[in-house]
Amino acid sequence: MSYKKTETYKHFIKSKYYCLKHKNYFHIYDLLLKKFKNKPITFVEIGVFSGGSLFMWRNLFGKRARIIGIDLNPDVKRFEKYGFEIYIGDQSKEEFWNYFFKKIGKVDVILDDGGHTNYQQTITTNKCVPMIKDNGMLIVEDVHASYIKHNWYNPSKYSFINYAKKIVDDINTRFPGIPDFKYSLKKYIYKVEFFESIVSFHINRKLCKKNSFINNSKKTTSPIEFRNKLDEGSILFKIKNYFNLKNNFTYPTFIINALKLKKFFK
Ligand SMILES: C[S@@+](CC[C@H](N)C(=O)[O-])C[C@H]1O[C@@H](n2cnc3c(N)ncnc32)[C@H](O)[C@@H]1O
């Protein structure tokens, strides 16, 4: 389906002010945001610019939504007369976020379309995630900046996309035995979605539980674990049997397979 058929694109075209987005974003907006249509949500967009996206969001979410724009440029205060709330501040300043959330409280959705540097996107994520309600989300746009040298000084170990990947590692520490990170957002972020140029973090504190085994206490057929038989035909398996070695002898198979996997990581 063409992006022109998406609902958000229709609102983009209808907006009375200039709006700057990328064509591939409209499908993603539809996918992520349609569930909030006509709901009394608080939606925050970082990056107002010429105001066009504020009207697009109003058209999508309807009258009951509280729509808040954040920008460095004080001129965007002009959009308050249309019923938007506007805050002037720097998304890379922790004090700004402390002030903002003290005023506003928890919100449903935050869309980061601000300055797109690694630092701005990372500080914004850290400060915003704890202030998003359950079932809400943070959407970070233009994460392709993490791959671009000009202006963004990437790729870098500390690019935002690498931070988003670290959050994937972080939420996997909810599985027992996997060591915790010193800095963690795992008690808020239930799920991370990666799209081209966009990452969304889905908040649900209730589902962010430590994982553990469970069985249903029903009749068991005591099945053999067949994974131990996988290498039966291999030379390694024959050597293992010949010397009557225990299961940890499968380690060389893991090494050999890791070498075979290398090509997929190129
Ligand atoms: C890409 S434009 C926003 C486009 C707008 N959302 C739209 O869809 O038409 C980026 C905006 O972010 C603002 N901005 C840049 N750095 C910022 C920062 N550190 N804090 C807050 N806003 C910032 C700029 O002033 C600019 O208006």
Side-chain angles (χ1 to χ4, degrees), residues 133-247:
K133 295 179 197 168
D134 283 354
N135 297 315
M137 65 183 84
L138 167 69
I139 303 168
V140 186
E141 268 183 29
D142 290 12
V143 300
H144 49 245
S146 285
Y147 303 92
I148 299 174
K149 188 165 185 193
H150 181 68
N151 281 339
W152 314 111
Y153 309 100
N154 281 317
S156 150
K157 185 174 173 190
Y158 301 109
S159 68
F160 182 73
I161 202 74
N162 279 341
Y163 188 54
K165 291 176 192 173
K166 185 254 170 172
I167 291 175
V168 174
D169 297 335
D170 185 19
I171 67 175
N172 275 290
T173 68
R174 292 199 289 260
F175 192 81
I178 298 179
D180 290 339
F181 287 92
K182 277 194 187 143
Y183 189 87
S184 174
L185 292 172
K186 72 172 169 183
K187 65 178 181 190
Y188 310 102
I189 299 174
Y190 177 60
K191 175 172 86 163
V192 184
E193 276 185 289
F194 287 87
F195 303 89
E196 175 248 297
S197 298
I198 291 182
V199 181
S200 58
F201 300 96
H202 299 256
I203 310 306
N204 195 322
R205 292 161 187 78
K206 291 184 197 84
L207 292 178
C208 288
K209 295 261 161 56
K210 191 88 186 164
N211 206 352
S212 56
F213 280 110
I214 181 169
N215 73 59
N216 64 359
S217 307
K218 295 286 164 59
K219 189 167 66 180
T220 174
T221 62
S222 303
I224 295 165
E225 178 48 271
F226 258 65
R227 82 178 119 182
N228 296 330
K229 289 179 169 285
L230 270 177
D231 304 317
E232 252 179 16
S234 73
I235 294 188
L236 285 171
F237 193 88
K238 284 176 194 151
I239 299 172
K240 175 177 148 181
N241 273 358
Y242 185 80
F243 291 106
N244 203 14
L245 296 167
K246 296 277 174 267
N247 268 346

